[in-house]
Amino acid sequence: MKKVGILSDTHSCWDDRYAKHFAGCDEIWHAGDVGDISVIRRLEDIAPVVRAVAGNIDHGEVCRRCKEVEIFEVEGVKVWMTHIGGYPGRYSPGVKRILFENRINLMVTGHSHILKVLWDKELEVLHVNPGAAGYHGWQKERTLIRLVIEDGNMRDLEVIELGKVKC
């Protein structure tokens, strides 16, 4: 069993509540637009495994450390994570084929600053966009996600609302 914390679009913002809400997580996933590399370093103080992809605002050390796409498996669930990927019914070009050919179970994206958790019935893929955890952007609510992955199943997905508080 793995407890996973998911966030995106921090845009260099650190909020001490990330540590509070992700305490006890086995892994933390950041779906891009990290901003400053210090965000990743601080997340590493919370969980033993931090996976992150680079977003469209990222540069320098973040881009040297983070790929644009990550494909990995956790507890029998195959994950595809990128910053810009669209969502069921509106995938970015080529994404649907990638999901199908790689037999992805969980797609994690960011970019839109819009919290979305959608099931793609056709591909049998859960799409998760945790919304934006940072202050920059037009979102009305800053959000994080936690979920449990165990024996090929995803369960206990929680949305955590942080409010629109300046970092």
Side-chain angles (χ1 to χ4, degrees):
M1 179 182 83
K2 298 282 184 188
K3 189 171 186 179
V4 180
I6 306 172
L7 74 167
S8 183
D9 296 280
T10 49
H11 293 262
S12 300
C13 171
W14 178 261
D15 186 323
D16 287 335
R17 292 176 293 173
Y18 302 162
K20 173 187 167 194
H21 292 297
F22 291 159
C25 285
D26 301 293
E27 300 192 10
I28 297 174
W29 303 345
H30 195 302
D33 278 3
V34 173
D36 192 274
I37 193 67
S38 65
V39 172
I40 298 292
R41 291 185 182 129
R42 292 181 82 174
L43 291 172
E44 289 173 327
D45 290 338
I46 303 166
V49 176
V50 175
R51 302 175 194 265
V53 292
N56 57 297
I57 66 109
D58 291 319
H59 60 279
E61 195 169 346
V62 172
C63 286
R64 286 190 294 276
R65 175 176 170 163
C66 304
K67 300 176 191 173
E68 287 185 30
V69 173
E70 288 283 350
I71 298 177
F72 53 95
E73 191 168 317
V74 175
E75 289 284 317
V77 170
K78 197 156 186 193
V79 181
W80 186 76
M81 184 166 64
T82 194
H83 185 60
I84 303 173
Y87 54 89
R90 295 206 47 169
Y91 291 119
S92 297
V95 169
K96 188 173 181 179
R97 180 184 51 78
I98 291 167
L99 298 174
F100 176 77
E101 289 177 357
N102 289 282
R103 299 177 186 231
I104 300 300
N105 308 111
L106 174 59
M107 171 188 180
V108 178
T109 65
H111 185 61
S112 70
H113 292 218
I114 300 169
L115 170 73
K116 282 191 186 211
V117 177
L118 300 169
W119 179 250
D120 184 325
K121 293 176 189 176
E122 179 187 352
L123 296 177
E124 296 186 358
V125 171
L126 179 63
H127 170 269
V128 172
N129 182 326
Y135 180 70
H136 300 288
W138 57 271
Q139 71 276 4
K140 294 179 181 172
E141 186 75 36
R142 296 170 53 233
T143 51
L144 310 171
I145 286 183
R146 281 189 307 231
L147 77 119
V148 173
I149 301 175
E150 182 175 23
D151 297 326
N153 295 303
M154 298 161 279
R155 61 179 172 83
D156 301 334
L157 188 142
E158 302 171 81
V159 173
I160 300 153
E161 296 179 343
L162 300 172
K164 188 162 172 114
V165 178
K166 189 172 183 175
C167 292

